Amino acid sequence: MEIIKTDGLTKSYGKTVAVDNISIHVNKGEIYGFLGLNGAGKTTLIRTLLGMIKPDGGSVTLFGKELNSNFNQWNHIGYLVEAPYAYPNLSVYENLKVFYKLRQLTELTEIDSIIECLKLTKYRNTKANALSFGNQQRLGLAKALIHKPKLLILDEPINGLDPEGIVEVRELLIDLAKNGSTIFLSSHILGEISKLVNRIAIIHEGKLIKELTTKELSSQISKKILVQTADNQKAIQILLNANYSASLTYTNEIEVTNKEVFEHSEVISKVLTENEFPPKQIYLFTEDLENYFLRTIKENKQ
């Protein structure tokens, strides 16, 4: 079942096209990562999904229902957009009680449960304006999750969290998805996104330039064997004579790009050793999500 669907979504501010004819779909139980540089259009799209911004063109469908003035599924949606907002002079518990009432919940124990879940127990009676930014982020997540939404829309959800908090939120989101929740999130912490999502979309200058599954991403990530020897120039010639694709990198390492050796780098070691140039160092380099993201944007500009 499609939980989110946009069709030709477009939004401009004067001459600036913030969202340019974007069509995406997100299925039930997916964690969908939305990546882009600052100003790429991520937040504009998220605000449009939440009805905060009216698009100039195209449509949004949530839970199979078009997003318009008659849309009535808001209590199934939780969200955190940009900086977390809280009533500064109310405590953590009091802030959550306000949202408990707004969501028309009936079990006060839900407040205690979400406080414990987000590791806010020791700050239960602390005013929001006295919290660190990381704990304000936890409070924002608590408000988004208190009503156990079927769809969670998050803009930079791990911003300001310490490493322990990032792991806790990651595990929480994965657990929510396993139990049927759908999660749409944007983040600039690309390494963390790669540990979370089922599918990734890349937006650049308002346009969707790539959408792929994590399996497809794995096949597109650049890989190469990197080698160091006592004489890299002579070693390169040996590898070329053995029909391997070898060249020297700007870091003065030998780069071998034949796919068949990625899982069996020992064949490179054998060839070089038999020719009296044994490797001092040999390893498989795998491009991370951040480099893939930047490479994709660069290729799109060309």
Side-chain angles (χ1 to χ4, degrees), residues 87-92 94-95 123 125-131:
Y87 296 103
N89 292 316
L90 296 184
S91 69
V92 166
E94 289 166 339
N95 264 282
Y123 305 104
N125 298 315
T126 302
K127 289 184 177 181
N129 61 5
L131 296 173

Side-chain angles (χ1 to χ4, degrees), residues 210 212 215-223 287 292 295-296:
K210 182 86 74 170
L212 68 171
K215 185 176 181 180
E216 290 168 335
L217 173 65
S218 179
S219 68
Q220 293 185 25
I221 288 291
S222 174
K223 295 181 181 179
E287 184 179 38
Y292 173 80
R295 175 165 63 85
T296 300

Side-chain angles (χ1 to χ4, degrees), residues 5 16 50 67 73 77 125 142-143 159 174 183 185 189 201 204 228 232-233 238 246 250 268 270 289 293 298 301:
K5 180 181 178 182
T16 302
L50 292 169
L67 184 59
Q73 301 293 307
I77 300 173
N125 298 315
K143 291 186 293 185
N159 193 25
I174 290 173
I183 301 167
L185 63 90
I189 306 177
H204 184 58
Q228 277 280 14
N232 285 345
Q233 290 290 357
I238 290 167
Y250 72 93
I268 301 296
K270 182 180 179 182
L289 180 58
F293 170 75
K298 184 178 179 181
K301 287 181 178 179

Side-chain angles (χ1 to χ4, degrees), residues 41-276:
K42 302 188 306 296
T43 300
T44 297
L45 185 134
I46 285 176
R47 287 180 173 274
T48 305
L49 292 179
L50 292 169
M52 298 176 179
I53 295 174
K54 186 177 180 180
D56 298 322
S59 63
V60 176
T61 303
L62 303 176
F63 305 106
K65 297 185 177 184
E66 187 174 352
L67 184 59
N68 54 34
S69 58
N70 297 318
F71 185 77
N72 61 358
Q73 301 293 307
W74 294 116
N75 218 37
H76 294 312
I77 300 173
Y79 63 90
L80 176 61
V81 180
E82 296 184 307
Y85 174 78
Y87 296 103
N89 292 316
L90 296 184
S91 69
V92 166
Y93 183 88
E94 289 166 339
N95 264 282
L96 290 173
K97 193 169 183 180
V98 170
F99 280 81
Y100 165 90
K101 291 181 177 179
L102 288 173
R103 292 292 186 179
Q104 299 179 336
L105 302 177
T106 57
E107 295 291 336
L108 274 172
T109 54
E110 297 292 347
I111 301 177
D112 293 317
S113 295
I114 199 65
I115 285 175
E116 183 178 353
C117 182
L118 270 300
K119 303 292 193 295
L120 287 167
T121 303
K122 66 185 290 186
Y123 305 104
R124 173 191 175 93
N125 298 315
T126 302
K127 289 184 177 181
N129 61 5
L131 296 173
S132 67
F133 183 77
N135 283 323
Q136 288 178 9
Q137 193 78 356
R138 289 174 188 265
L139 176 56
L141 284 167
K143 291 186 293 185
L145 291 166
I146 191 170
H147 59 300
K148 299 177 181 177
K150 295 178 182 178
L151 170 61
L152 195 55
I153 298 176
L154 304 173
D155 191 9
E156 303 289 356
I158 53 179
N159 193 25
L161 296 179
D162 57 25
E164 182 182 13
I166 290 174
V167 172
E168 289 169 355
V169 170
R170 182 207 310 159
E171 292 175 349
L172 172 63
L173 296 179
I174 290 173
D175 189 56
L176 287 170
K178 285 180 179 178
N179 285 285
S181 294
T182 303
I183 301 167
F184 182 99
L185 63 90
S186 76
S187 177
H188 69 283
I189 306 177
L190 304 183
E192 192 58 35
I193 283 277
S194 65
K195 300 172 186 176
L196 265 174
V197 300
N198 306 113
R199 283 195 299 136
I200 292 171
I202 297 176
I203 183 175
H204 184 58
E205 295 180 348
K207 294 182 179 180
L208 183 67
I209 62 173
K210 182 86 74 170
E211 185 182 41
L212 68 171
T213 65
T214 48
K215 185 176 181 180
E216 290 168 335
L217 173 65
S218 179
S219 68
Q220 293 185 25
I221 288 291
S222 174
K223 295 181 181 179
K224 53 193 172 185
I225 298 291
L226 294 176
V227 187
Q228 277 280 14
T229 70
D231 190 329
N232 285 345
Q233 290 290 357
K234 290 182 179 179
I236 285 174
Q237 192 57 54
I238 290 167
L239 292 171
L240 291 174
N241 292 340
N243 295 318
Y244 290 108
S245 176
S247 60
L248 199 64
T249 70
Y250 72 93
T251 56
N252 200 37
E253 293 176 296
I254 300 170
E255 175 183 289
V256 182
T257 55
N258 304 73
K259 292 182 179 180
E260 65 270 18
V261 302
F262 291 161
E263 301 298 327
H264 302 283
S265 59
E266 67 273 10
V267 298
I268 301 296
S269 295
K270 182 180 179 182
V271 169
L272 292 173
T273 301
E274 288 176 348
N275 286 273
E276 299 182 355

